[in-house]
Amino acid sequence: MAEKIRIHLADDHQILIDGIRTLLHTIPTFEVVGYSLNGTNIYEEVTNNKADILVLDINMPEKDGIEVLKEFAKKGFPCKVIILSSYDDLRIIKEVMKLGCSSYLTKKCAGENIVEAIQAVINGEEYFSKSVREKIFNTVTKDNPKLNKQVPSPNSLLTERELEIIILISLEYSGKEISDQLFISVNTVETHRKNIMKKLSAKNSISLVKYALKNKLIKS
């Protein structure tokens, strides 16, 4: 049997802790190993209980989530971090991603996204709830005249994230620029690009541009 993913929860609302813990207990491969109601000793707590994932609220008493992330960045991350917040402000998202967190979820969609986020993060991927991801993408592309303004919808071949990546490639963004703009790693961008090329049997970036034009993801 594979080892369970060890999860520590940090939020100042006991009712939210209890709700998430109840949900995560339904997943056989997950184990909630601890929780915190303030940010004071989170580093020591997740180090001692050997958590793989910390689910962290930004608004924590005594030491907020930003300060906790700064402490992690200074001392070395003892685990992966998923931010669970009431805010979807891009400045905050950008700050916490630069500090080293792996995922950003809004509390209103925590129930539907938290399991998927944990699984993605443990596999070395970045993860955003849909509303956050769309807000980031729309901010990046809002002034580009070549973009068709409707939000891309998934099809039988490509996921929503893959559609966003193919659009940005077609708009001549480099891998580093896509990484910077979407708050994901260059390796994640490259993985998406390879998956897209394989799914579309594309030989090069020109093939991706042709696909984007044909499917009206961008304007000619």
Side-chain angles (χ1 to χ4, degrees):
M1 180 178 173
E3 289 188 13
K4 290 189 176 184
I5 299 169
R6 299 169 63 82
I7 303 158
H8 188 98
L9 307 175
D11 193 280
D12 60 336
H13 294 93
Q14 184 73 53
I15 190 168
L16 189 139
I17 294 270
D18 293 342
I20 294 178
R21 185 165 50 183
T22 299
L23 172 62
L24 297 183
H25 277 164
T26 67
I27 310 299
T29 54
F30 291 176
E31 180 182 3
V32 177
V33 294
Y35 70 89
S36 306
L37 293 172
N38 64 67
T40 306
N41 298 311
I42 288 179
Y43 184 88
E44 290 76 16
E45 289 164 350
V46 298
T47 301
N48 291 337
N49 64 28
K50 296 179 171 61
D52 301 302
I53 300 281
L54 167 63
V55 180
L56 174 67
D57 186 14
I58 288 178
N59 277 345
M60 296 285 287
E62 299 180 34
K63 182 187 288 185
D64 66 25
I66 301 291
E67 291 303 313
V68 170
L69 280 172
K70 288 179 178 177
E71 181 182 10
F72 278 27
K74 182 179 180 180
K75 294 181 177 179
F77 274 70
C79 61
K80 303 277 189 178
V81 180
I82 294 172
I83 292 293
L84 184 61
S85 176
S86 302
Y87 306 112
D88 63 357
D89 187 302
L90 289 181
R91 290 170 298 177
I92 295 175
I93 297 168
K94 184 175 183 179
E95 180 175 7
V96 299
M97 297 305 289
K98 281 192 170 184
L99 284 170
C101 87
S102 300
S103 174
Y104 197 102
L105 309 178
T106 56
K107 286 187 176 181
K108 62 184 178 183
C109 64
E112 60 186 285
N113 289 135
I114 188 70
V115 171
E116 193 172 305
I118 290 169
Q119 291 168 334
V121 167
I122 209 69
N123 288 325
E125 303 168 19
E126 296 90 356
Y127 186 94
F128 300 94
S129 53
K130 182 177 179 180
S131 62
V132 170
R133 200 196 70 246
E134 288 179 351
K135 186 170 186 177
I136 294 169
F137 179 76
N138 290 337
T139 300
V140 173
T141 59
K142 65 179 180 179
D143 296 323
N144 198 306
K146 287 189 175 182
L147 180 74
N148 276 331
K149 292 303 181 184
Q150 71 271 21
V151 175
S153 300
N155 57 25
S156 58
L157 284 176
L158 304 178
T159 65
E160 289 181 346
R161 174 58 99 190
E162 287 169 344
L163 284 169
E164 292 171 354
I165 297 292
I166 197 173
I167 286 171
L168 293 179
I169 290 172
S170 300
L171 294 175
E172 301 182 357
Y173 284 78
S174 68
K176 179 66 165 59
E177 287 170 336
I178 294 172
S179 165
D180 291 341
Q181 294 295 326
L182 298 187
F183 311 145
I184 59 179
S185 70
V186 174
N187 286 340
T188 298
V189 176
E190 183 61 18
T191 298
H192 283 307
R193 190 187 69 81
K194 288 179 179 178
N195 290 339
I196 293 166
M197 300 279 282
K198 184 176 180 180
K199 287 182 179 182
L200 299 181
S201 300
K203 295 180 179 179
N204 50 42
S205 296
I206 294 174
S207 300
L208 301 184
V209 175
K210 287 180 178 178
Y211 178 90
L213 287 167
K214 181 179 178 181
N215 290 274
K216 297 181 171 56
L217 299 177
I218 63 171
K219 303 172 185 176
S220 57

